Amino acid sequence: MVEHATADRLTGMSIADPAPGLPGFVHLYSGKVRDLYAPIGDDGRAREDQLLLVASDRISAFDFVLEPAIPDKGAVLTQLSLWWFEQLASIVPNHVLSTDVPAEVAGRAVLVRRLEMLPVECVARAYLTGGGLREYAADGHVSGIRLPEGLVDGSRFDQPIFTPSTKAPQGEHDEPMSYAAVEAAIGSGLAARARELTTAILARGNEIAAERGILIADTKVEFGVVDGELVLADEVLTPDSSRFWPADQWEPGHTQPSFDKEFVREWLLSPESGWDKASGEAPPPLPEDVVERTRAKYVEAYERLTGTTFAR
Ligand code: PZK
């Protein structure tokens, strides 16, 4: 699982490393934009009951981590996720233990309870787009669910549908999973509960977001299991785990503008960037104004949803 070593184990030389050491913690692994640590206990060993989830300011698009980072993105997403955990607390318990974290990661890290995680990506969709649209176009089903004819990119469902996927190893893409495969993997009781909670989280999220002019097209959540009950883990209803759309621009029939990454994608695909998506080459660095406008979109999402000002 280790994507980035902190230092070369033989030479001790530092290598390009987005997850530097944090005093009192051991680095476990890093995803594209987040880093996972374990606190070191009084016995000097990594604790097995807790994790520190750190959100970086890194941003990804078209499967690349871009440069430069988006200032405050990690803090905005962490604070938004914490706010959603509170909003959803009557629906589902969560893994958060404390926001008292080292100064180096203040505001963008959470100490959480380490759980046995379900080996399934729990996805719910309220609108048809992305991978769901591709499945529908092929045979009129999404995740084994027969949908009405005539739906288009951006069509809204009467109620969110559960479209689970496999947890692919890093660098690979998650594959759609049938509900029967989820039942086989975790048992029919947990599968039914995961489906119920995932769709309830998206439905409640959309009730709240609609009042603030944001649609949440789909979302991916992760659950752990404690005493046979599901506990919501990871991040929840952030722009990195979900598709946010501006409600006033929703127009089924074409790709909807992404709330957070529209400037990034638009610039990368424009002639100004000089980048050819099909080349396989890494994209060029984002211009300062694209970085600043993207930062403003993350802050706007946070402020509209929570109704509070984001304090740097
Ligand atoms: C866990 N991830 C994804 C998150 C990364 C990777 N409460 C938990 N217990 C056990 N495992 C996890 C969690 C949570 N949340 C989450 N992988 C394992 C992840 C952040 C950074 F690099």
Side-chain angles (χ1 to χ4, degrees):
M1 275 295 248
V2 179
E3 192 175 62
H4 312 280
T6 0
D8 185 283
R9 296 267 184 263
L10 288 173
T11 65
M13 288 200 0
S14 77
I15 53 174
D17 192 346
L22 260 187
F25 293 82
V26 357
H27 176 237
L28 296 182
Y29 54 91
S30 291
K32 280 207 183 86
V33 304
R34 295 180 307 157
D35 311 301
L36 201 56
Y37 296 80
I40 296 169
D42 295 335
D43 62 358
R45 290 152 47 111
R47 289 187 65 143
E48 290 180 356
D49 59 341
Q50 297 183 355
L51 292 171
L52 185 74
L53 255 58
V54 181
S56 76
D57 290 345
R58 301 190 293 274
I59 185 171
S60 71
F62 304 118
D63 276 342
F64 289 95
V65 176
L66 307 175
E67 288 183 359
I70 307 298
D72 299 322
K73 173 176 178 276
V76 171
L77 267 58
T78 298
Q79 297 310 307
L80 182 58
S81 200
L82 286 166
W83 181 81
W84 278 122
F85 279 128
E86 277 174 35
Q87 305 307 302
L88 299 168
S90 64
I91 297 177
V92 61
N94 64 67
H95 69 160
V96 176
L97 291 174
S98 169
T99 55
D100 186 7
V101 297
E104 294 94 315
V105 294
R108 59 184 181 93
V110 192
L111 192 69
V112 304
R113 182 167 176 187
R114 198 190 290 208
L115 306 169
E116 289 302 327
M117 302 298 288
L118 292 188
V120 174
E121 300 283 12
C122 290
V123 178
R125 301 176 186 275
Y127 295 79
L128 182 64
T129 193
L133 176 63
R134 281 190 289 277
E135 282 187 59
Y136 174 76
D139 71 350
H141 293 72
V142 178
S143 204
I145 301 162
R146 178 77 209 254
L147 294 172
E149 282 175 44
L151 302 183
V152 295
D153 195 349
S155 290
R156 188 187 213 285
F157 302 134
D158 294 333
Q159 48 189 40
I161 58 172
F162 182 56
T163 64
S165 58
T166 59
K167 276 188 181 173
Q170 209 140 55
E172 290 171 46
H173 286 122
D174 298 342
E175 296 286 342
M177 208 175 164
S178 69
Y179 185 71
V182 176
E183 288 183 307
I186 64 177
S188 55
L190 284 179
R193 189 70 179 132
R195 177 172 62 184
E196 174 176 67
L197 286 176
T198 304
T199 53
I201 287 164
L202 183 56
R204 183 71 188 119
N206 263 317
E207 278 179 8
I208 294 171
E211 296 168 22
R212 281 86 164 181
I214 292 174
L215 308 179
I216 308 174
D218 48 35
T219 194
K220 184 199 72 138
V221 294
E222 296 215 31
F223 295 104
V225 189
V226 176
D227 298 334
E229 302 285 343
L230 296 185
V231 175
L232 186 58
D234 208 87
E235 60 179 335
V236 62
L237 298 175
T238 69
D240 278 5
S241 67
S242 319
R243 281 189 181 89
F244 285 14
W245 293 341
D248 61 0
Q249 290 175 61
W250 176 51
E251 194 179 64
H254 58 85
T255 308
Q256 310 300 304
S258 150
F259 196 98
D260 52 317
K261 289 177 185 170
E262 60 174 322
F263 301 127
V264 167
R265 294 194 181 127
E266 182 188 60
W267 182 78
L268 285 175
L269 297 177
S270 76
E272 289 89 273
S273 79
W275 182 61
D276 175 11
K277 186 173 179 284
S279 69
E281 305 272 302
L286 302 171
E288 220 26 72
D289 71 298
V290 173
V291 171
E292 188 40 54
R293 285 188 294 158
T294 300
R295 177 188 180 276
K297 292 305 286 187
Y298 284 107
V299 171
E300 183 189 346
Y302 174 87
E303 294 190 337
R304 276 165 72 166
L305 287 168
T306 68
T308 67
T309 302
F310 175 74
R312 221 170 200 281

